[in-house]
Amino acid sequence: MPRIDPQACKPPASAGAKEQAAWWFARLHSGHASDAERRAFEVWRDADPEHDRQYRNTAYFWDAALDVPRERLQAVVDARGALRRARRRYLAWATGAVCAAALLAAVLGPQWRASEPGYVTTLATRPGELRELMLPDGSVLNLNTATDATVRLYEDRREVALLGGEITFSVRHSAALPFVIDAGASRITVTGTRFNVRRDPGQLDVAVEHGSVQIDTGPWWKRKSRRLGAGENVRIDEDGGMASLPPAQVKALTAWRRGKIVFDNAPMKQLVAEMARYLDYPLILGDRRLDNLNINAVFSIDDLDAMLLALPAIAPVKIIKRDDGAMVIVSR
């Protein structure tokens, strides 16, 4: 299929709501939609209940298509392409429909195209382990403790599936090869920048050091998009809600690369949860009254025992070792 410039495509004015919905869905998921286009989409969607219904139908079939085996989906697409060519001379909105189909193919492409990645690697770090990896394209990934991810490099894109943990991405710039991080309900798209992504159960933190990133998150019926620039960072919950964090936290969030964990007026329950990521034995906060006790501290992750022993020196707590090896923090 010849490459079609998405900027040259416009919603076919003579097409019905179904075709316009397909165009808008493809455009918004292409990674090229501007803020003005997103506002125009909202105007279009609110203008007629049928627009909203057709857009929701398109999104539903998109989700369903993700569960179809690639070979079957490829056959369906090929068959529809032949049918479309046969009908083209009878459809007044053919040009617009072809444009929409091309854009939709760009969105669906990663799910069914026959090409295989030229490079695949699975990454995993143990508790307390840090790792650096340079990809064949020159991008560098710094993995924090307890991180699981898979990297796939294709001819036309670069993809990382972050299953859990934390990675700082230093992406080699390439306008022709978008770099996409798949983190569950969220997708982060860049062409070249330095940023940090941390995925915990029900929560995703994204902090940008240089350049900018595009974030698309949430379920299809209330998908949200946002562009972050240098010094900006957000926290995304499991429903796709995004909340900005103070710019100063970017350095604190990435201090682990320097072998440090920084707590700036952080509650004890957060401190314990963070320290536990680097330990190979359970660390338990055994007194709920300590949950919201605020702590200011900087620990070195290179010496985990010292990190734990230093805690009673900065907080009114003591540490008890259980027979099963777990360490329990209680009030003293």
Side-chain angles (χ1 to χ4, degrees):
M1 177 181 292
R3 184 179 296 275
I4 295 180
D5 182 3
Q7 298 292 347
C9 295
K10 295 181 179 180
S14 60
K18 183 176 181 179
E19 288 72 34
Q20 291 189 32
W23 190 95
W24 277 118
F25 184 87
R27 183 61 181 162
L28 293 177
H29 288 74
S30 69
H32 299 285
S34 65
D35 291 339
E37 286 175 312
R38 294 187 184 94
R39 290 191 294 270
F41 161 71
E42 293 298 339
V43 171
W44 172 84
R45 189 173 186 175
D46 294 340
D48 189 328
E50 181 64 11
H51 292 175
D52 179 69
R53 189 180 76 85
Q54 291 294 348
Y55 186 82
R56 286 186 288 109
N57 283 346
T58 300
Y60 171 81
F61 285 114
W62 155 256
D63 286 344
L66 299 183
D67 295 327
V68 177
R70 186 175 62 191
E71 307 79 44
R72 292 183 60 188
L73 189 57
Q74 178 72 65
V76 170
V77 171
D78 290 344
R80 288 191 64 185
L83 182 60
R84 185 186 65 224
R85 288 191 294 273
R87 291 180 175 176
R88 186 174 300 163
R89 57 185 174 180
Y90 302 107
L91 300 178
W93 48 266
T95 301
V98 170
C99 182
L103 283 171
L104 192 57
V107 177
L108 288 171
Q111 307 301 325
W112 55 262
R113 70 183 69 183
S115 63
E116 296 293 334
Y119 173 88
V120 179
T121 186
T122 298
L123 307 174
T125 54
R126 301 182 305 276
E129 179 187 8
L130 306 183
R131 180 180 174 187
E132 179 176 286
L133 173 69
M134 177 176 285
L135 300 181
D137 71 330
S139 299
V140 177
L141 276 57
N142 290 96
L143 282 71
N144 200 355
T145 179
T147 295
D148 291 306
T150 301
V151 180
R152 295 180 178 88
L153 302 183
Y154 297 83
E155 291 184 358
D156 60 349
R157 67 198 188 280
R158 300 166 287 179
E159 297 181 352
V160 176
L162 178 58
L163 304 180
E166 186 169 21
I167 301 178
T168 293
F169 296 88
S170 299
V171 177
R172 182 75 174 267
H173 177 78
S174 175
L177 293 175
F179 198 107
V180 179
I181 294 89
D182 182 350
S186 300
R187 286 172 63 85
I188 304 162
T189 306
V190 301
T191 55
T193 186
R194 184 178 178 88
F195 59 102
N196 191 80
V197 182
R198 174 170 168 175
R199 184 180 181 184
D200 293 315
Q203 179 177 296
L204 185 74
D205 289 340
V206 182
V208 180
E209 294 187 60
H210 303 291
S212 64
V213 304
Q214 173 72 30
I215 301 176
D216 298 288
T217 188
W220 61 263
W221 61 88
K222 54 177 179 179
R223 195 74 171 165
K224 299 177 182 178
S225 297
R226 179 171 174 179
R227 182 170 291 275
L228 297 183
E232 292 186 294
N233 54 108
V234 296
R235 176 161 293 166
I236 305 169
D237 62 31
E238 57 188 349
D239 294 321
M242 285 188 280
S244 297
L245 300 176
Q249 288 199 16
V250 173
K251 289 186 177 180
L253 289 171
T254 57
W256 61 268
R257 294 203 313 268
R258 303 185 297 275
K260 304 294 182 181
I261 308 177
V262 178
F263 298 103
D264 183 7
N265 205 34
M268 178 68 77
K269 61 182 179 181
Q270 177 183 332
L271 178 147
V272 172
E274 185 67 17
M275 292 175 65
R277 298 176 64 208
Y278 296 87
L279 300 171
D280 57 5
Y281 51 82
L283 181 63
I284 301 169
L285 187 57
D287 190 338
R288 296 275 72 91
R289 294 174 298 177
L290 295 171
D291 280 1
N292 296 313
L293 176 66
N294 290 334
I295 302 294
N296 291 283
V298 177
F299 294 121
S300 173
I301 61 178
D302 295 328
D303 191 343
L304 301 178
D305 291 333
M307 179 174 69
L308 189 58
L309 292 174
L311 190 55
I314 61 173
V317 301
K318 60 181 179 180
I319 301 174
I320 301 173
K321 184 175 181 180
R322 296 194 321 204
D323 292 340
D324 61 1
M327 306 296 281
V328 183
I329 301 173
V330 298
S331 298
R332 67 173 183 224

